[in-house]
Amino acid sequence: MELRQLKYFLKAKELLNFTEAASVLYISQSTLSQQIKQLEDELQVPLFNRIGKRITLTEAGELFSVYAQQSVNKASDGLQLLKDLNKLETGKIAIGVTYALRHVVTKALILFSSEYPKIQFEIIFGTSQELIQKLNHFQLDVILTFEEIASEAHFKYLELFTSPMALVTSSETSLKNKKTISLEEISTLPLAMPAGGFSTTQFISRAFEKSNLYPKVTIEINDIPTLLELIKTGKWHTILTKTTIEDEKDLYAIPIKGENMTRTAMLISLKEVYEKKAVKSFLKILVENLK
């Protein structure tokens, strides 16, 4: 059955006159009668008693009218919801973020929410692998992470900026005066590192292997805030992208010497998937805020 037929039926029920109902609906009486007859044939039960030019509701028509009205109301509500979505009066944005890029998302979120306060957000932190898996399962609208290669054909990639890899140390250690540091120097230091699932750890591990170096990693941890608290004690050092410790007053980042010691921050989303207006607006604010 079609929504149009339900609307025709409800108007005929209201006026109990096909001629008047057709006039109000701006259609011919024959069109109205035909559409209601098709609806009755599909339901396999008469909705109206036809007595000459008069019509009355059958018991089936009376019962069916309740559900017909609910269907029309739901469709109307859905249409209004879509209008509200386009006006950014409602909706939800689900974003996946690696910890190193939390500042980027936070700044954009504050700006966006001040302009569109009715939009809800779900912010998920995780490793790049975890976030990509959620994106593939349509659990996220977009993810913000570090990637060097746009490798998946079903993803859209937007490069945002690059950040150097850095040794992160306490601002109280003697290393804070260094402008750069080599992997060889780092390999002699006591290190606390993000767990193996973090792309940064995988990236730097490949760099050490390529240089035949074996760093002294005494702690691995899967929580970056806790890792940073350990580094602040001055007993350990770690390796992260420089942007990770933005606004961290007690930490100091020393860029690592060597080729390809930078990482590229990217927005990643799925191709062939409808991009909500709220998502487009948020990403526009995020990108403009980085300029």
Side-chain angles (χ1 to χ4, degrees):
M1 68 185 69
E2 299 178 8
L3 187 62
R4 179 183 66 243
Q5 293 173 325
L6 299 181
K7 290 179 178 179
Y8 289 175
F9 161 68
L10 289 170
K11 184 56 65 175
K13 167 189 173 291
E14 176 188 344
L15 300 177
L16 291 178
N17 187 298
F18 282 175
T19 302
E20 291 181 17
S23 177
V24 171
L25 293 166
Y26 299 102
I27 59 175
S28 67
Q29 181 179 335
S30 60
T31 297
L32 176 65
S33 298
Q34 184 183 38
Q35 290 295 311
I36 289 179
K37 183 63 169 63
Q38 288 179 3
L39 181 59
E40 290 175 322
D41 289 344
E42 184 174 351
L43 296 172
Q44 297 183 345
V45 64
L47 300 173
F48 292 100
N49 296 308
R50 294 160 175 82
I51 309 168
K53 294 184 178 181
R54 293 175 52 241
I55 59 172
T56 60
L57 273 178
T58 63
E59 181 183 16
E62 190 67 54
L63 293 171
F64 179 71
S65 67
V66 176
Y67 297 97
Q69 189 64 62
Q70 290 176 352
S71 297
V72 172
N73 290 344
K74 287 292 185 182
S76 179
D77 290 345
L79 179 60
Q80 185 59 49
L81 177 65
L82 294 179
K83 290 179 179 178
D84 287 345
L85 280 173
N86 283 328
K87 293 178 182 178
L88 302 185
E89 291 292 324
T90 189
K92 182 179 179 180
I93 301 174
I95 302 174
V97 192
T98 53
Y99 185 82
L101 295 169
R102 68 197 186 284
H103 300 295
V104 175
V105 170
T106 301
K107 291 174 182 176
L109 178 60
I110 293 170
L111 290 171
F112 182 87
S113 294
S114 64
E115 188 171 353
Y116 306 107
K118 295 182 180 180
I119 301 297
Q120 294 180 322
F121 277 86
E122 181 181 11
I123 310 294
I124 304 294
F125 283 93
T127 66
S128 295
Q129 291 178 348
E130 290 169 344
L131 298 177
I132 285 173
Q133 186 176 17
K134 288 182 179 294
L135 183 64
N136 273 322
H137 285 85
F138 305 98
Q139 295 172 343
L140 297 171
D141 293 308
V142 64
I143 63 176
L144 184 56
T145 186
F146 283 105
E147 285 287 330
E148 281 63 59
I149 303 172
S151 57
E152 299 290 342
H154 64 291
F155 285 156
K156 290 190 296 184
Y157 296 86
L158 176 62
E159 294 186 10
L160 298 176
F161 61 89
T162 59
S163 179
M165 294 297 297
L167 179 77
V168 178
T169 187
S170 168
S171 56
E172 299 300 318
T173 69
S174 59
L175 291 172
K176 69 176 184 178
N177 295 318
K178 293 182 70 67
K179 300 300 181 183
T180 59
I181 192 168
S182 68
L183 286 175
E184 188 173 4
E185 290 176 277
I186 294 172
S187 67
T188 66
L189 300 173
L191 298 177
M193 293 292 292
F198 285 80
S199 63
T200 295
T201 300
Q202 295 169 3
F203 178 93
I204 203 65
S205 294
R206 289 192 296 268
F208 276 122
E209 289 174 7
K210 189 175 179 181
S211 300
N212 293 316
L213 295 172
Y214 303 93
K216 299 193 299 183
V217 179
T218 56
I219 297 176
E220 288 190 358
I221 189 166
N222 68 349
D223 182 70
I224 302 300
T226 303
L227 172 64
L228 296 181
E229 289 303 311
L230 292 174
I231 304 307
K232 288 176 183 179
T233 67
K235 294 182 179 180
W236 299 274
H237 315 274
T238 192
I239 301 171
L240 298 167
T241 52
K242 188 176 180 180
T243 190
T244 307
I245 64 162
E246 185 178 333
D247 299 331
E248 292 283 353
K249 296 179 181 179
D250 299 325
L251 296 174
Y252 184 71
I254 308 168
I256 300 174
K257 297 177 186 176
E259 295 182 2
N260 303 319
M261 279 296 151
T262 59
R263 305 211 64 197
T264 302
M266 287 189 180
L267 284 171
I268 307 177
S269 57
L270 287 166
K271 292 181 179 178
E272 311 299 332
V273 173
Y274 171 72
E275 190 174 52
K276 295 178 285 190
K277 187 173 181 179
V279 174
K280 290 181 181 178
S281 300
F282 175 76
L283 295 184
K284 181 180 179 182
I285 288 176
L286 186 149
V287 172
E288 289 178 349
N289 189 55
L290 291 172
K291 293 180 181 178

